[in-house]
Amino acid sequence: ASSGGLRWPLAGAQWNPHHPDSAAVWAGQGVSLWDLRSMKASVSIDAAHTMPVRDIDFNPNRPHYLVSTGDDGLVRFWDLRFSSAPLLEYSPHSSWVWQVKFNPSHDRLVLTTSADTTVCLARVLSLSAGGDTFSEAFASSSSETNTGTSKEPVDEVVETFTTHEDSVYGAAWSQVDPWIFATVSYDGRATINSVPRAE
């Protein structure tokens, strides 16, 4: 199959769960959404990342939202209707990010795996189906101050899991229990973790 306007061999593809005649493909630094009826790209993000794209995932509840990861260590969220710049980006890892997965039931929860041996769970309320505010910057728990007053939940990495000793290249949310996920690393170790109760 032709990669159309993409200048690199295709690195991956994913069906669009919201439109049966649509799929996303990624190659090099770009991501494209293809209309399979016309066999043409309907959306192209040529510079989605500054280094090769590793993975993408569609938001299960918001049809135009997609998240991408890459060797630049960034996690970027896109609105496919206005794709000239990401809606939000953050860098939860110290190396490339292998995989990204929206929680299939709670789209505010986003899981990433990395070559730095960690798995990060983020809360991205501002872009979830229930979100009503947009965060200008992704918060870090280390920069928050405890003022003794209750705070509105913000976009942030809520937990970094360090149960692996090698590059973590795969993740999957449970299809039975939305609070459980599994990850696998290059050394063959698989772990099962759960979302913190506070989430």
Side-chain angles (χ1 to χ4, degrees), residues 63-85:
H64 301 289
Y65 281 20
L66 176 141
V67 62
S68 63
T69 62
D71 284 1
D72 54 10
L74 292 173
V75 179
R76 287 184 164 171
F77 294 83
W78 305 90
D79 184 332
L80 296 172
R81 299 166 296 181
F82 312 101
S83 58
S84 59

Side-chain angles (χ1 to χ4, degrees), residues 15 46 59 96 117 120 128 146 181 189 197:
W15 289 107
D46 294 331
N59 184 307
W96 60 64
T117 76
C120 288
S128 71
N146 184 1
F181 61 90
R189 172 184 275 181
R197 287 183 183 267

Side-chain angles (χ1 to χ4, degrees), residues 4-182:
L6 300 173
R7 291 173 268 152
W8 301 82
L10 293 181
Q14 187 175 118
W15 289 107
N16 184 336
H18 306 289
H19 302 287
D21 297 318
S22 176
V25 297
W26 56 98
Q29 299 166 335
V31 175
S32 294
L33 188 67
W34 281 72
D35 183 329
L36 301 178
R37 295 164 297 189
S38 66
M39 292 306 293
K40 293 184 179 175
S42 57
V43 176
S44 290
I45 308 170
D46 294 331
H49 289 267
T50 59
M51 297 176 74
V53 175
R54 287 290 171 179
D55 195 26
I56 65 103
D57 198 22
F58 287 93
N59 184 307
N61 300 321
R62 300 191 78 174
H64 301 289
Y65 281 20
L66 176 141
V67 62
S68 63
T69 62
D71 284 1
D72 54 10
L74 292 173
V75 179
R76 287 184 164 171
F77 294 83
W78 305 90
D79 184 332
L80 296 172
R81 299 166 296 181
F82 312 101
S83 58
S84 59
L87 294 171
L88 178 70
E89 72 176 41
Y90 65 102
S91 182
H93 297 282
S94 61
S95 187
W96 60 64
V97 183
W98 281 111
Q99 201 164 48
V100 61
K101 296 290 181 196
F102 277 105
N103 183 296
S105 300
H106 307 285
D107 64 347
R108 71 183 182 275
L109 299 175
V110 178
L111 199 60
T112 55
T113 67
S114 174
D116 69 3
T117 76
T118 66
V119 176
C120 288
L121 176 67
R123 179 196 319 115
V124 187
L125 275 176
S126 64
L127 300 179
S128 71
D132 56 5
T133 60
F134 184 84
S135 292
E136 295 270 330
F138 207 86
S140 104
S141 56
S142 62
S143 66
E144 291 180 7
T145 57
N146 184 1
T147 61
T149 61
S150 66
K151 291 184 176 183
E152 290 293 318
V154 295
D155 295 345
E156 65 180 336
V157 173
V158 295
E159 187 153 347
T160 299
F161 297 88
T162 58
T163 55
H164 290 280
E165 296 176 359
D166 208 339
S167 179
V168 187
Y169 64 87
W173 287 99
S174 168
Q175 297 301 305
V176 177
D177 185 338
W179 306 111
I180 295 176
F181 61 90

Side-chain angles (χ1 to χ4, degrees), residues 179-192:
W179 306 111
I180 295 176
F181 61 90
T183 55
V184 63
S185 55
Y186 185 75
D187 59 7
R189 172 184 275 181
T191 65
I192 296 174

